[in-house]
Amino acid sequence: MLACSTGVVLHLPMYFSAHHMNYVMAGMKPDAAMITGMVLIAVGLAAVVYGLLPARGAQIKKSAQSLRVTAIDDAPIRGQHIALLIVLAFAITIDVMKPATLAFVAPGFAQEYGLKSPANPGGTIPVSWLPLAGITGTVIGSWTWGALGDRIGRRSSLLLAGMLFITTSICGAMPGFKWNLMMCFMMGIGVGGMIPIAFALMAETIPARHRGWLMVLIGGDIAGAYLVTSWLSGWLTPTYGWRILWLIGLPTGLLFIVLNYWIPESPRYLIARGRNEEAKAIMTRYGAEVREVPSESEPVPGGSQPSAAPALHRYDQLFRRPFAGSTLAILVLAAGAGLITFGFQLWVPTNLQHLGYSSVKSDYVVRNAALLGLPFTVLVAVAYGWWGSRRTIVTLSVVSALALGGFVVAGDSLADHHLALSLLLIVPLSAVSSVTAVVSAYAAEVYPTMLRSRGSGLAAGMTKLGGVLIIAVVVASTTIPSIATTALIGAVPLLLAAVMFLWFGPETKQRSVEEITDELLATEERAA
C-alpha cells in the first residue's frame, strides 16, 4: 500500500505546477516524478495481488457440507453489524461517486482537449469516449470481481478493489488524451468490483429479518453519492478544475483501506471453503454460532436443511436451472437501471448546460433533485424488507417507468420550469438508484454461497452494460441524446422486468439465503 500511495503522490507536483494555467495539462510531458510514480504503482499492485491470493483458494472442503450458519439469521443486530454497515455504505458511496463523476468532468474534459460536445459542436472526437472507457471498465470489473469474490474471498476482493481505487486516481494528473482514456478504463475496473462484493458480504452476514431493507437502504445511497459528487463539483471545480474530482480518490480510498479493519470475511464463505475455525471466531463476534448437521435427514433447529447447491462454480451455472429464470429477470431490470443511470444521469449536467444553465447552476440543480429524493430511498428500503422483495421490485419498476414519461412528454420545455424540472429529476436520480439497489440486493440473495459473488457481479455489470450500449451509440452518432430520448429508452426494460418478476424468482423477505436456494432447488426437482 505504501508503494501505491507514494506512486500516486508523485503525480501531484505536475498537477499543481499547472495551477497558473487553471490546471490545464493538455500537451504537457510526464516528468521524472510521474514516471517513477507509475513504476511504484505497478510494483505495489503486484505485491498486493500476490499477498491476497490464497495458497489453496480453489479447494472447497467437503466438511462444509455438514455445517450450517442459520444461527446468523437468529442473532440480534450488534455493534459489529452496525460498524460493518457503515463501512460498506462508505465503500458503496465512494464507488458510485466515480461513474457519477463522469457526468461532471465531461464538460471540462471536452473543453481542455477540444472534443465535440454541446458547448463545442465543431470538435472532431466526441467527449463520449471518456464515459465509454470508464463504464466499459466497470462492466469488466464487476464480472471479474464477481469471480474473484468466490475465488479469494469477499474481504480480500474488497481490499484489492480499494487499492485500484487509490492508484487509478492518477487519472486526474494524466496530461494526454489517450492516457486519460486508458486510466479511466482502469479506474472503471477497480470501481466495478466494490458493489457486487459488498452486497454478497451483506447478504451473508446480516440477520435475515433485517437483511433486505438494510441492503436496499445502503445500496440506495447511490442518490447520496450523486448528491456528494454534484456538491464537490460545484465547490471544487471552479478553483481546481475538473481533474480534482479524480484526484480525491486518493484520500477517500486510503480512508476505506483503514476502515477495512471493521470488515470481516463472510462466515458462510469460510465454511464453504472448509475454514471452519475462522468462521466460528467471526460468528462469535457477531453473536452467532455454527451449527453442525449430523445427517441430511435430521432437521436443523431454527433452520433449513443443507442446500444441495450445484457443484459447478462458473458464470454459466447462473443461466442453468434452477437459476435461469431469476437470472433473466435480474438482467433485464439491471439493464433498464443502467440505461437510465448512464443514458439519462450521465448527460444531465451537459444537457442542462445545452438548455442554457451555467456549469455551476446545472450541478446544483442535480444536487437539489438528489437531495429531495433521499426520503424515497428510505421508503423503498422499508417496503423491500417488510412488504416483500418481489412486490417492491414490480411496483418500483412500474412507477419509475411511468414517471419517466414526464420527460418524454415535456422534453426541453422543462428548461423554463425550474421547480418542475427539479421534481421530475427525483425519479432518475433517486427512484432509479433504488432500482439499482433492489436488483443488487435481490441478486445477492437468490444464489448459493459459491455462486453468490458471481451472481451479484453479473447483475452489477449489467447495470453498467446498458450504459456502455447507449454511450457507444452516442460515440457512433457523435450526438448526445435528449432528456426525452434517454427517459424513453430506460422506461421500456423497466416495464418488461416488472412482468418477468411476476413470473420468475422466489420471495426473499426475511428468509435465510439457504432457504431461498432450497426453494429454487426443490422447484427444479418437482419439475424434473
Side-chain angles (χ1 to χ4, degrees):
M1 186 178 75
L2 180 60
C4 291
S5 301
T6 303
V8 175
V9 171
L10 288 175
H11 285 70
L12 298 181
M14 189 168 174
Y15 163 76
F16 285 114
S17 70
H19 71 278
H20 62 286
M21 299 183 294
N22 295 320
Y23 297 96
V24 172
M25 299 178 66
M28 297 177 66
K29 300 295 182 181
D31 58 14
M34 181 177 286
I35 294 174
T36 302
M38 292 180 184
V39 174
L40 285 175
I41 289 173
V43 172
L45 282 177
V48 169
V49 172
Y50 178 79
L52 291 177
L53 286 177
R56 304 173 67 186
Q59 182 178 357
I60 302 176
K61 301 275 187 80
K62 291 183 179 179
S63 61
Q65 299 299 319
S66 64
L67 297 172
R68 297 290 282 186
V69 290
T70 51
I72 280 183
D73 298 306
D74 302 327
I77 292 291
R78 305 179 69 177
Q80 287 82 357
H81 291 104
I82 296 174
L84 172 63
L85 290 171
I86 291 174
V87 174
L88 292 180
F90 176 75
I92 291 175
T93 299
I94 63 173
D95 180 87
V96 177
M97 282 175 62
K98 284 303 180 183
T101 297
L102 288 168
F104 298 95
V105 303
F109 182 79
Q111 181 180 4
E112 179 167 339
Y113 292 101
L115 306 179
K116 184 179 179 64
S117 68
N120 182 31
T124 56
I125 301 175
V127 67
S128 309
W129 274 107
L130 180 69
L132 179 61
I135 304 305
T136 300
T138 63
V139 174
I140 296 174
S142 294
W143 294 343
T144 301
W145 256 257
L148 278 176
D150 290 335
R151 168 70 170 79
I152 69 175
R154 314 326 190 201
R155 187 171 187 269
S156 295
S157 298
L158 283 173
L159 280 170
L160 184 56
M163 291 308 303
L164 275 181
F165 192 91
I166 292 171
T167 56
T168 55
S169 64
I170 63 173
C171 185
M174 291 292 103
F177 171 69
K178 293 182 179 179
W179 277 99
N180 262 281
L181 292 184
M182 185 184 72
M183 291 310 305
C184 192
F185 173 76
M186 296 299 298
M187 181 185 296
I189 292 178
V191 166
M194 280 195 184
I195 285 184
I197 304 302
F199 273 96
L201 184 58
M202 284 189 287
E204 295 170 346
T205 310
I206 306 302
R209 63 184 179 277
H210 299 293
R211 183 188 63 234
W213 74 270
L214 283 173
M215 285 200 298
V216 174
L217 182 64
I218 292 175
D221 195 43
I222 293 172
Y226 212 81
L227 171 65
V228 173
T229 305
S230 61
W231 173 73
L232 288 173
S233 178
W235 176 41
L236 296 175
T237 56
T239 303
Y240 299 101
W242 60 270
R243 294 176 178 274
I244 193 65
L245 295 180
W246 291 139
L247 292 172
I248 58 177
L250 173 61
T252 54
L254 287 173
L255 179 57
F256 170 72
I257 296 297
V258 172
L259 294 176
N260 206 265
Y261 171 81
W262 285 275
I263 298 180
E265 184 52 89
S266 162
R268 284 181 163 96
Y269 173 82
L270 291 173
I271 290 174
R273 289 295 188 187
R275 296 159 60 181
N276 303 333
E277 294 304 317
E278 295 177 62
K280 291 178 181 178
I282 291 174
M283 291 179 69
T284 298
R285 290 167 48 195
Y286 283 80
E289 62 183 12
V290 178
R291 292 176 178 173
E292 187 165 352
V293 183
S295 67
E296 293 188 6
S297 60
E298 184 174 337
V300 182
S304 60
Q305 296 299 318
S307 301
L312 294 177
H313 309 290
R314 303 190 304 265
Y315 268 113
D316 60 352
Q317 186 64 40
L318 302 175
F319 297 93
R320 299 182 184 180
R321 293 181 177 179
F323 309 114
S326 298
T327 298
L328 184 60
I330 288 170
L331 292 185
V332 173
L333 181 60
L339 287 171
I340 297 172
T341 301
F342 298 102
F344 187 97
Q345 289 184 353
L346 181 64
W347 302 115
V348 164
T350 301
N351 274 322
L352 290 180
Q353 292 178 41
H354 182 62
L355 295 177
Y357 287 78
S358 67
S359 175
V360 174
K361 178 67 174 179
S362 65
D363 290 346
Y364 282 116
V365 168
V366 174
R367 182 206 61 182
N368 293 339
L371 183 62
L372 289 172
L374 288 178
F376 186 84
T377 300
V378 177
L379 177 63
V380 172
V382 173
Y384 188 93
W386 303 103
W387 189 40
S389 57
R390 188 162 56 181
R391 284 188 289 186
T392 300
I393 289 174
V394 171
T395 303
L396 179 61
S397 299
V398 172
V399 170
S400 300
L402 294 178
L404 286 170
F407 289 97
V408 178
V409 174
D412 292 349
S413 65
L414 286 170
D416 300 323
H417 305 281
H418 295 181
L419 179 60
L421 176 61
S422 296
L423 292 176
L424 277 177
L425 280 174
I426 293 174
V427 175
L429 297 185
S430 181
V432 175
S433 70
S434 295
V435 172
T436 303
V438 297
V439 73
S440 299
Y442 193 85
E445 292 180 303
V446 298
Y447 299 110
T449 299
M450 294 313 299
L451 286 175
R452 182 165 294 114
S453 183
R454 285 179 172 85
S456 186
L458 182 66
M462 199 65 184
T463 62
K464 313 297 194 305
L465 185 60
V468 171
L469 295 176
I470 195 167
I471 296 172
V473 171
V474 174
V475 170
S477 63
T478 68
T479 58
I480 294 175
S482 66
I483 288 178
T485 300
T486 53
L488 179 62
I489 291 174
V492 172
L494 290 187
L495 290 175
L496 179 59
V499 175
M500 297 179 69
F501 269 95
L502 289 174
W503 290 346
F504 303 121
E507 176 58 58
T508 64
K509 181 181 70 172
Q510 300 183 24
R511 304 171 66 193
S512 73
V513 290
E514 288 82 11
E515 289 175 334
I516 299 167
T517 300
D518 289 344
E519 178 184 324
L520 287 170
L521 294 170
T523 302
E524 175 64 14
E525 291 177 0
R526 289 194 297 268

